[in-house]
Amino acid sequence: MAREKKIYPLAKGLTTEDTYAVLGDAEKFQKHKHAWKVWRTLKEFGCVAYPVAENIQRLDGSKVYLNLDQLKDKVTVVVPCLLPDKLKSLVSDVAAAGVCKIWFQEQTWTQEYQQECDNSGIEVVRGCVLRHVIYSPISMRYLSPCYWHGLRDAKVPSKRFGR
């Protein structure tokens, strides 16, 4: 008897059932910066998440995709983890890949992106993925801005370590 996959709500209509493409660069993934944390967190939530970056082939045993064209019709949400100056054609690339939602992290959203998304019919979700993590009581959670910003947000239990 197969176990049913539990679906948890995330930000503004997104759930753990969606499939995600996390945009980053080699440095943000390899040095375990925000893009790597977002990708790992989504995987720990039980989501299907694909890392997308140039100049890197594999990440923790997973294939890294060069661009969104390689993921055409595989993802429902794009999560950019790069500053706006490194994402020149973000909205057009997302629209070309057939994705209908962008989950902007704290410093990636701009008013120009909002206007482009509105014109292209792409739904915009703002806020950090890490706000939905259940932090351990013995962790350094009080030092994390994601903990404080996400106090009232929906939380998702981690799938790793048998939880």
Side-chain angles (χ1 to χ4, degrees):
M1 182 171 174
R3 225 157 90 176
E4 283 187 40
K5 181 179 177 182
K6 183 123 170 103
I7 299 170
Y8 295 95
L10 295 171
K12 295 183 185 154
L14 300 178
T15 66
T16 55
E17 187 176 35
D18 288 312
T19 54
Y20 298 87
V22 179
L23 300 180
D25 58 14
E27 179 186 355
K28 290 199 183 275
F29 279 119
Q30 290 175 330
K31 292 189 176 182
H32 296 189
K33 293 190 176 187
H34 192 73
W36 180 83
K37 290 176 186 177
V38 166
W39 174 71
R40 290 295 299 186
T41 299
L42 288 169
K43 288 182 67 82
E44 287 172 7
F45 289 169
C47 302
V48 176
Y50 302 101
V52 178
E54 295 178 354
N55 303 327
I56 182 173
Q57 304 298 317
R58 297 198 73 73
L59 179 66
D60 296 345
S62 296
K63 178 182 178 182
V64 177
Y65 293 86
L66 183 62
N67 54 38
L68 288 175
D69 289 337
Q70 294 180 340
L71 290 170
K72 190 171 181 90
D73 299 326
K74 286 186 181 180
V75 296
T76 56
V77 182
V78 171
V79 184
C81 294
L82 292 169
L83 294 176
D85 60 332
K86 293 188 177 183
L87 297 168
K88 300 292 184 203
S89 60
L90 173 67
V91 177
S92 59
D93 292 346
V94 168
V99 181
C100 58
K101 297 177 186 174
I102 300 177
W103 190 354
F104 286 101
Q105 300 302 287
E106 296 296 336
Q107 297 178 353
T108 60
W109 179 87
T110 64
Q111 187 62 40
E112 291 80 25
Y113 282 148
Q114 183 70 48
Q115 290 175 341
E116 286 182 51
C117 288
D118 291 343
N119 294 339
S120 300
I122 296 174
E123 185 180 337
V124 171
V125 178
R126 292 175 59 191
C128 185
V129 171
L130 304 178
R131 295 168 91 168
H132 302 282
V133 173
I134 297 174
Y135 290 92
S136 159
I138 58 172
S139 69
M140 300 296 283
R141 67 183 178 189
Y142 301 112
L143 301 177
S144 170
C146 298
Y147 171 77
W148 293 108
H149 293 181
L151 279 176
R152 291 183 177 84
D153 290 339
K155 304 297 182 193
V156 179
S158 176
K159 300 286 185 220
R160 66 179 204 182
F161 305 123
R163 287 191 253 167

